[in-house]
Amino acid sequence: MSLYVVTGGAGFIGSHLVEALLGRGERVRVVDNLSTGKRGNVDAAVQSVGSGGRPFGRPELVVGDLGDLDFARRALEGATIVLHQAAIPSVPRSVKEPVASNRANIDATLNVLVAARDTGATRVVFAGSSSVFGDTPTLPKREDMPTSPLSPYALQKLVGEQYLRLFTDLYGLETVVIRYFNVFGPRQDPSSPYSGVISLFIKALLAGTAPMIHGDGEQTRDFTFVANVVDGVLRATEAPDVTGQVINVATGTRTSLNELLRVLQALMGTSLVPAYGPGRDGDVRDSQADISKAARLLGYTPRVSLEDGLRQTVEWYRASAS
Ligand code: UD1
């Protein structure tokens, strides 16, 4: 029986992957240092699947720091498929704390690859990031377009991608990079200033306080509901002909922050006036994925629209606030 190891499995995206894998009856191990992840996310994933037909009960939870190679080896022992989601996933935090961010995003990735190679894992799927494209002019972004990282986070994700490719070339380890584009959904933690913008906007609107927009709000993003990402990643665990590939998983559209806020306010029945502040260092202006490679290699198309995803997300924040 295969063992799926989800690093960062107590985090936002990781816990959704855990939920989907448990739902398919897979054997799952979560590896997390619980820095931004929470045990509660794993509990929520387990609860949401329910007990019916699940042969393995709770996933094993292994807590520790993947920046330590000995720990990484123990954490990946016996792994078949590794979904490497663990990261410090924030552009502004990487600008403020580049060394901590480098350890979490590069050192840990290298250790995971070494451990995966040595334990005989068949495939590693890595959480890449749209931020690697920077402000290159052409939209939508195709995977083979030039990269131009504007922040330590973006550079670290790019180095991670290149390490994956090297491990495929040098050691024959099957690796796939899935580039995420501004993922949102239930369980995204809104409690830090580094949190994703959708979680922060919803939190502000629920509290009746003005959402903060950095810059003029006309920057655009390919906001992707987490269920779409889970679908893309799980396809990448089993698709043939994807070894060594980098694949965008997103919606293929872009929405400005001003428009996003309008849609959210309409959904939530609020009309708060946002506060506009200075633009953020390391911020990209526009981001939109070309998702034709994901369609071709993974059979992926986004299942949940932005508006449906926002509706589900708002419902979740409302329920968890009450
Ligand atoms: C970036 C990456 C994304 C990565 C993520 C990790 C790009 C295009 N995307 O997202 O792939 O997974 O980092 O965190 O680089 N903003 C506000 N008000 C707020 C918070 C944010 O206006 O309260 C603005 C930001 O300045 C930015 C946009 O909203 O322009 C999105 O910010 P955020 O949600 O933090 O994600 P990115 O940095 O775009």
Side-chain angles (χ1 to χ4, degrees):
M1 177 89 198
S2 299
L3 171 63
Y4 288 75
V5 173
V6 184
T7 74
F12 158 50
I13 299 174
S15 69
H16 283 279
L17 289 166
V18 168
E19 181 178 326
L21 288 166
L22 292 176
R24 291 193 338 191
E26 304 290 359
R27 190 154 68 101
V28 180
R29 180 187 297 153
V30 171
V31 178
D32 207 297
N33 66 0
L34 302 180
S35 66
T36 57
K38 297 187 200 116
R39 284 175 202 274
N41 285 339
V42 181
D43 295 341
V46 170
Q47 264 167 24
S48 141
V49 176
S51 54
R54 215 158 21 82
F56 293 105
R58 292 187 61 82
E60 186 188 350
L61 172 60
V62 180
V63 178
D65 172 16
L66 289 166
D68 169 359
L69 179 59
D70 288 337
F71 172 77
R73 287 188 192 282
R74 288 196 302 279
L76 265 67
E77 219 170 79
T80 320
I81 306 275
V82 180
L83 304 183
H84 180 41
Q85 311 297 306
I88 296 183
S90 164
V91 168
R93 188 163 168 199
S94 78
V95 173
K96 214 160 161 219
E97 302 168 16
V99 175
S101 162
N102 195 84
R103 178 176 168 88
N105 298 340
I106 296 185
D107 296 356
T109 298
L110 176 57
N111 290 344
V112 163
L113 290 169
V114 169
R117 178 199 66 185
D118 294 349
T119 200
T122 55
R123 191 172 286 192
V124 178
V125 182
F126 175 62
S129 167
S130 59
S131 59
V132 299
F133 290 113
D135 270 338
T136 54
T138 320
L139 292 171
K141 304 294 188 195
R142 256 195 356 253
E143 294 83 347
D144 57 0
M145 285 175 175
T147 52
S148 175
L150 299 179
S151 63
Y153 174 78
L155 179 62
Q156 292 152 11
K157 283 291 180 182
L158 185 58
V159 172
E161 288 189 358
Q162 297 193 354
Y163 262 127
L164 263 81
R165 187 186 44 75
L166 263 184
F167 269 65
T168 295
D169 293 349
L170 290 176
Y171 310 114
L173 180 66
E174 288 188 13
T175 67
V176 190
V177 175
I178 300 296
R179 279 190 188 148
Y180 299 164
F181 284 67
N182 293 79
V183 187
F184 71 95
R187 301 206 283 269
Q188 189 168 33
D189 183 0
S191 66
S192 142
Y194 303 125
S195 298
V197 66
I198 290 182
S199 70
L200 292 173
F201 278 6
I202 296 175
K203 181 182 167 196
L205 296 178
L206 282 175
T209 57
M212 164 60 87
I213 292 187
H214 301 299
D216 63 4
E218 287 304 304
Q219 65 267 50
T220 57
R221 294 290 184 272
D222 192 334
F223 293 108
T224 310
F225 187 60
V226 66
N228 293 324
V229 168
V230 168
D231 180 40
V233 170
L234 294 189
R235 286 169 182 273
T237 62
E238 52 197 15
D241 310 324
V242 289
T243 298
Q245 296 289 338
V246 174
I247 306 171
N248 295 337
V249 164
T251 70
T253 60
R254 67 194 172 102
T255 307
S256 72
L257 289 188
N258 290 324
E259 172 64 10
L260 168 73
L261 189 56
R262 270 195 294 278
V263 175
L264 272 175
Q265 301 234 55
L267 280 172
M268 295 177 70
T270 56
S271 49
L272 288 151
V273 179
Y276 286 84
R280 245 173 29 182
D281 286 343
D283 225 25
V284 163
R285 184 70 186 171
D286 295 304
S287 176
Q288 178 184 6
D290 181 317
I291 53 173
S292 52
K293 187 171 177 183
R296 196 171 69 249
L297 294 185
L298 303 177
Y300 163 87
T301 47
R303 292 176 180 173
V304 185
S305 68
L306 175 63
E307 195 160 336
D308 278 353
L310 288 174
R311 197 170 289 118
Q312 292 184 44
T313 306
V314 167
E315 268 168 30
W316 182 84
Y317 283 104
R318 276 203 173 117
S320 52
S322 59

